[in-house]
Amino acid sequence: MTAAAPRAGLLLGIDIGTSSAKGVLVRPDGTLVARAQREHTTSTPGPGRFEHDAEGVWWADFRSLARELLAELPAGEPLAGVGVSGIGPCLLPVDERNGPLRPAILYGIDTRAGAELAEQNERYGPDAIIARCGAPLTSQAVGPKLAWLRRHEPTVFEATRRWYMASSYLVHRLTGRYVLDHHSASQCTPLYDLAARTWITERCEEIAPGVEWPELVRPADVVGTVTRQAQERTGIPAGTPPVVAGTVDAWAEAAGVGVADPGDLMLMYGTTMFLVGIVERPLTSPHLWGTAGAFDGTYCLAAGMATSGAVTGWLRDLTGASYERLTGEADRLPPGAEGLVMLPYFAGERTPIFDPDARGLVHGLTLRHGRGHLYRAALEATAYGVRHNLAAMREAGATAERLVAVGGGARTLWTRIVSDVTGRAQHLPRHTIGAAYGDAFLAAVGAGLAVPGDIAHWNPTVEVVTPDGAAAAVYDELYAVYLDLYPATREAAHVLAARQHADGARQDV
């Protein structure tokens, strides 16, 4: 019997980010037909705590975006596939009816599970965790978050039967399936074996007894079709377009900009900065995350800063000036912001220092400095953090030969500063619109309308940002200051963080 030809039509991709959700409609050749966006808020119920309402944010934004984009579907052209992604790793506990029991606990920016993290390090051994799981145990990991839930919210934990991340929750709402992709699972330290590509059953049962674990699949695997109930809520036709498993947003975005071969590295400019480097074999480092890749048989070294665009947003809100005005003022200043260096650890820091109690710092302030100086210092702080993470990747054995810049900060002063500080060129693809485009590409692969190599035609490089050699000496000097500032102020930052935690706990009472 001859196999049926892949169903022609358009691909729907929707991504749930930290501060917004984005969606696209794309043709099987990569042509962008329509795009839409929804802003949402992240709840911060206490210091170091970041949460999302799964129904009010994840599912509500998906439904709204799907309906808006379907209205742009050309007459007579069906949907050929649906792809989703979202922030991760997250923890959303649900009951036996798959109803959320509390807001989802977000990824590494949520640092509440510090005590549980230390206990699991003691229980399983830091080196053994890295060797088996590919990454050190940090605030990013799901294991300590589950233990925190069991200890601090026992009633919720006792009712918990399953748990989801943003992408897997959307897939469940669309198809009824309970699955998780291998990449997302590889960020569930210490519960996933990276080499064996399977759950570590004995640890799962020890840390979260009585909880059912999702079936493991690949991001581009078709896991089902839209149910009749989901059609009523989203407008997507039931039973026709295949739905793929999806993955964490950064990896979907990497897939959508062609970061797929060893030596490729993506810089994702957003609320947080994320780096995804492709390596030919599993590599480990105590300063980075080793993970499974988006496509079968691929591996990554990844890095993530807890804040980047979040700091520029804080400065915008604090000063009342628009991004355009702040960028213009910063652009008129020389490299180095006239002697300011910022540590961007406003929500602690993830890689490469893994310190949830690190804190933001502006060093060198004088009365002559203004908001433009602070804004430029914030952009430069992100660039110093990128340089610090690239150095950690080199030390781990990864070679980042081609840097691809994506996200809302691409094609701006921010990108130029990062190239100047790092001394590295950055390739800008035609589309830098976020993970939703990668979701559509994964859907095309799952539907049989594309293969991974087709992304070069979907999203070619259209611009290369090159470093300004004249700025190198200034940035080399100030990068050394940046590296010195954290160890010099770490103990003081920890004292202040402890007071903040205590003050926050009193406010919660």
Side-chain angles (χ1 to χ4, degrees), residues 16 22 33 47 144 248 467:
I16 307 297
K22 299 176 182 178
V33 174
V248 172

Side-chain angles (χ1 to χ4, degrees), residues 12 25 64-74 79 234-237:
L12 174 67
L25 270 181
S64 177
L65 288 170
R67 288 193 176 279
E68 179 176 343
L69 290 166
L70 287 174
E72 300 294 325
L73 196 67
L79 276 184
T234 66
I236 302 172

Side-chain angles (χ1 to χ4, degrees), residues 103-465:
I105 299 172
L106 299 194
Y107 52 99
I109 58 173
D110 189 289
T111 59
R112 73 184 70 193
E116 292 75 19
L117 189 156
E119 290 167 2
Q120 290 179 15
N121 258 328
E122 178 69 22
R123 172 73 175 87
Y124 304 115
D127 293 340
I129 290 172
I130 293 173
R132 189 169 185 186
C133 303
L137 198 59
T138 70
S139 63
Q140 186 85 341
V142 167
K145 298 181 195 297
L146 278 166
W148 182 93
L149 185 69
R150 184 181 179 188
R151 172 177 290 165
H152 294 279
E153 298 182 1
T155 302
V156 171
F157 184 82
E158 288 171 8
T160 299
R161 294 296 174 266
R162 293 177 172 181
W163 64 274
Y164 292 94
M165 295 192 192
S167 59
S168 64
Y169 184 68
L170 294 178
V171 165
H172 170 74
R173 293 304 302 261
L174 290 171
T175 69
R177 293 288 305 280
Y178 180 42
V179 299
L180 187 67
D181 69 285
H182 279 281
H183 166 70
S184 298
S186 71
Q187 293 207 45
C188 293
T189 313
L191 304 170
Y192 178 89
D193 189 313
L194 182 60
R197 299 175 71 84
T198 187
W199 294 119
I200 304 173
T201 304
E202 64 275 15
R203 292 184 184 174
C204 294
E205 293 175 349
E206 180 178 348
I207 291 172
V211 174
E212 178 186 351
W213 291 78
E215 176 188 350
L216 293 171
V217 294
R218 295 168 295 190
D221 283 351
V222 173
V223 296
T225 58
V226 175
T227 65
R228 184 69 60 185
Q229 183 179 19
Q231 175 185 329
E232 294 172 358
R233 304 299 299 278
T234 66
I236 302 172
T240 45
V243 178
V244 298
T247 189
V248 172
D249 52 5
W251 275 259
E253 189 153 9
V257 296
V259 172
D261 297 322
D264 291 345
L265 184 139
M266 181 189 71
L267 294 175
M268 187 175 77
Y269 292 77
T271 305
T272 65
M273 173 70 79
F274 214 84
L275 297 81
V276 176
I278 309 299
V279 295
E280 58 187 357
R281 67 185 191 282
L283 294 177
T284 60
S285 165
H287 306 295
L288 302 164
W289 298 299
T291 75
F295 296 107
D296 198 29
T298 63
Y299 297 91
C300 302
L301 266 184
M305 299 171 64
T307 58
S308 52
V311 178
T312 63
W314 173 74
L315 281 168
R316 178 200 59 185
D317 295 342
L318 193 66
T319 62
S322 67
Y323 281 129
E324 292 75 17
R325 180 175 291 276
L326 289 167
T327 299
E329 293 176 2
D331 201 12
R332 290 191 289 272
L333 294 169
E338 296 187 328
L340 286 190
V341 175
M342 179 184 290
L343 291 184
Y345 306 154
F346 285 59
E349 186 55 298
R350 297 189 283 174
T351 65
I353 65 171
F354 287 128
D355 184 356
D357 288 331
R359 288 296 180 262
L361 175 71
V362 184
H363 198 57
L365 273 172
T366 69
L367 293 175
R368 64 187 299 271
H369 289 113
R371 65 189 182 189
H373 295 87
L374 287 170
Y375 196 78
R376 185 174 185 104
L379 300 180
E380 291 173 343
T382 299
Y384 298 139
V386 170
R387 182 168 170 175
H388 198 185
N389 279 295
L390 290 175
M393 288 185 169
R394 285 195 303 272
E395 291 171 4
T399 57
E401 299 169 0
R402 184 175 72 99
L403 274 59
V404 180
V406 300
R411 295 189 174 92
T412 66
L413 171 64
W414 196 2
T415 322
R416 299 202 314 269
I417 286 175
V418 169
S419 277
D420 290 348
V421 168
T422 62
R424 303 295 304 276
Q426 296 175 78
H427 293 249
L428 277 62
R430 174 189 294 156
H431 298 299
T432 61
I433 54 180
Y437 191 78
D439 299 334
F441 182 68
L442 290 172
V445 172
L449 298 173
V451 297
D454 288 342
I455 196 62
H457 304 293
W458 270 51
N459 204 8
T461 295
V462 295
E463 183 182 347
V464 178
V465 178

Side-chain angles (χ1 to χ4, degrees), residues 434-497:
Y437 191 78
D439 299 334
F441 182 68
L442 290 172
V445 172
L449 298 173
V451 297
D454 288 342
I455 196 62
H457 304 293
W458 270 51
N459 204 8
T461 295
V462 295
E463 183 182 347
V464 178
V465 178
T466 57
D468 178 2
V474 172
Y475 283 135
D476 285 348
E477 177 184 4
L478 296 181
Y479 176 63
V481 174
Y482 174 89
L483 292 180
D484 288 341
L485 277 176
Y486 169 66
T489 61
R490 177 172 48 214
E491 296 308 315
H494 287 182
V495 170
L496 297 177

